[in-house]
Amino acid sequence: EAIPISQTRLGPYMMELRLIASVLFGLRPASPAMERCLIEEIQRRHKYRYPRIKDGSSQPRGPLGTVWYVINADWLRQWNQFSKGKEGVTELGKIDNNMLLSEEGILSLKQGLHWKQDFELLEPLAWSALQAWHDGGPPITRSVVPFNPSKTDKHNSVSYSPARPSLMNTLDEYEIELYPLFVTVFLCDTASKGEPRPFQQYVPLSRYLPLEELVDKLCEGLGRDTSKPPHCRLWMMDNTGASLGRSATSPCKADDSLGWILDLDLTISDERNNRGVQPSKDENNISLMLEVRNEKDGTWPRTRLKMALEAGKESGENSEESEPALGDGIVGLYNMGNTCYLNSSIQCLSHTPVIRDYFTSKAYLHDINATNPLGYKGHLAQAFAHLVNS
């Protein structure tokens, strides 16, 4: 049995070294009891850093933007038994969060899950430690958002983990959003000449945070300076992804045949309600377009395209002949050293409909051969599926 750290003179220093080795470098502790000791220390520090009540507001999960990980409650219960040294629990399998996910092939949770019964919430460092020691996944992250108990969304059920009743009378409350939307984002910039092109798929979008939060994250990923407004603007696209050269104007879309420009100070729910858009059965069937302003002349690519098309119509030119061809795949893998050839191959595979659907529908799980001594026991397939779904 492990000696309590507090009983040794070098206890605090040894704890720091063990946390660095076990969490940052992924070295598994020598005993299950030490695993438990380190996880409890991580949780203690997290609770000390983020007090439950601060400045008159309830923050049981930390301030706005704090990231938490969702984990299978059954697996965590087994780990608790394992780390306590219970008889009969000598081996522990990998973390398996697949039973928490919906059938849509993305990291959206099933409806009707119950906290403590079906899933638990872990601090980021606690998840990193357990995942490094026991492997498995996939990692499911959720963020803390401001929550007003008196305000509900008429189109959505409860999307937060349960809060304590004693905290419901506080001025503000911050809780984890378990059920964000997952949207497809297209990119419109000077290179695309004002047309939308594939950018990112299954991007988590909060129902309760202003759209500016999403735009800032997307622009930061592009290396844009978010301190120079307006640097980007966001469009709501129709389900067909029509462009100016392919679609006739519609009276219900005042801004463009493509869709309309969103108010970044509002939430996606408020924008849809203001426009009278009825939610579809598939809430994740939302396409947005990020339009990046030209840094050289300050013009918007979409506006320039519209002006060019109107000028072409006046001169009798056929704009359809010059319409650029657009792909339907997702790109965006960073090269690490000389991985450009590997990245190209991976992106080609992810753009192949048959292969993409095979992994996004989770059909590959039925074909994994974990007993083949010459294979990789499904590790490679699971890694590729995670990449395609992310």
Side-chain angles (χ1 to χ4, degrees), residues 50-79:
Y50 302 119
R52 290 185 174 273
I53 297 180
K54 183 179 181 182
D55 299 331
S57 63
S58 169
Q59 299 182 358
R61 305 296 181 186
L64 175 67
T66 303
V67 176
W68 287 76
Y69 283 79
V70 180
I71 190 171
N72 187 340
D74 287 336
W75 187 93
L76 192 61
R77 280 191 286 268
Q78 294 177 13
W79 177 83

Side-chain angles (χ1 to χ4, degrees), residues 50-348:
Y50 302 119
R52 290 185 174 273
I53 297 180
K54 183 179 181 182
D55 299 331
S57 63
S58 169
Q59 299 182 358
R61 305 296 181 186
L64 175 67
T66 303
V67 176
W68 287 76
Y69 283 79
V70 180
I71 190 171
N72 187 340
D74 287 336
W75 187 93
L76 192 61
R77 280 191 286 268
Q78 294 177 13
W79 177 83
N80 281 325
Q81 298 294 321
F82 172 75
S83 62
K84 291 179 181 178
K86 296 292 183 179
E87 295 183 1
V89 185
T90 58
E91 294 293 335
L92 190 63
K94 297 180 181 180
I95 302 173
D96 185 8
N97 287 336
N98 289 301
M99 60 84 60
L100 302 176
L101 300 178
S102 65
E103 299 299 327
E104 301 172 7
I106 57 180
L107 295 178
S108 62
L109 298 175
K110 291 180 179 178
Q111 294 291 334
L113 295 178
H114 294 87
W115 184 39
K116 299 290 186 182
Q117 177 181 341
D118 300 312
F119 70 92
E120 286 280 6
L121 298 168
L122 284 180
E123 299 80 357
L125 286 181
W127 163 267
S128 298
L130 290 175
Q131 202 275 337
W133 301 339
H134 301 283
D135 203 2
I140 306 173
T141 59
R142 293 295 184 265
S143 300
V144 172
V145 297
F147 173 50
N148 185 349
S150 62
K151 181 180 179 180
T152 57
D153 190 330
K154 63 181 180 180
H155 296 316
N156 301 303
S157 58
V158 177
S159 297
Y160 296 89
S161 57
R164 295 189 302 172
S166 60
L167 298 176
M168 296 297 284
N169 297 324
T170 55
L171 181 61
D172 297 308
E173 186 160 349
Y174 293 84
E175 260 297 353
I176 298 172
E177 184 177 7
L178 294 176
Y179 295 97
L181 297 170
F182 287 86
V183 301
T184 300
V185 180
F186 291 81
L187 182 64
C188 174
D189 55 7
T190 305
S192 68
K193 299 180 180 180
E195 288 283 8
R197 60 187 177 95
F199 180 41
Q200 293 187 24
Q201 196 172 20
Y202 303 136
V203 179
L205 172 62
S206 173
R207 304 174 191 267
Y208 306 99
L209 289 177
L211 291 165
E212 185 177 7
E213 297 284 338
L214 173 64
V215 172
D216 287 344
K217 291 181 180 179
L218 294 174
C219 289
E220 288 175 2
L222 291 172
R224 301 283 298 194
D225 185 1
T226 58
S227 63
K228 297 180 180 180
H231 46 85
C232 297
R233 59 186 184 184
L234 196 64
W235 293 70
M236 169 74 78
M237 300 174 62
D238 61 15
N239 292 333
T240 62
S243 65
L244 277 172
R246 292 193 291 263
S247 174
T249 59
S250 174
C252 66
K253 300 173 184 176
D255 298 317
D256 196 314
S257 61
L258 178 76
W260 61 84
I261 300 174
L262 300 173
D263 187 345
L264 300 185
D265 293 329
L266 300 179
T267 66
I268 186 65
S269 300
D270 291 338
E271 267 286 353
R272 298 174 78 181
N273 292 339
N274 292 343
R275 292 277 179 168
V277 178
Q278 297 296 327
S280 60
K281 293 182 179 180
D282 183 9
E283 288 189 315
N284 293 319
N285 188 23
I286 299 177
S287 296
L288 304 177
M289 183 183 75
L290 180 70
E291 185 179 10
V292 181
R293 197 170 192 170
N294 191 332
E295 292 182 332
K296 295 181 178 180
D297 56 16
T299 59
W300 295 103
R302 192 70 185 169
T303 303
R304 294 191 62 176
L305 174 62
K306 187 175 182 179
M307 295 173 61
L309 290 175
E310 290 176 352
K313 290 181 180 179
E314 293 178 358
S315 61
E317 296 178 1
N318 188 355
S319 61
E320 293 184 359
E321 294 180 357
S322 59
E323 181 183 346
L326 299 177
D328 60 350
I330 305 300
V331 298
L333 292 177
Y334 290 99
N335 290 330
M336 296 180 294
N338 296 323
T339 62
C340 52
Y341 294 104
L342 176 63
N343 288 351
S344 300
S345 302
I346 292 175
Q347 290 181 82
C348 289

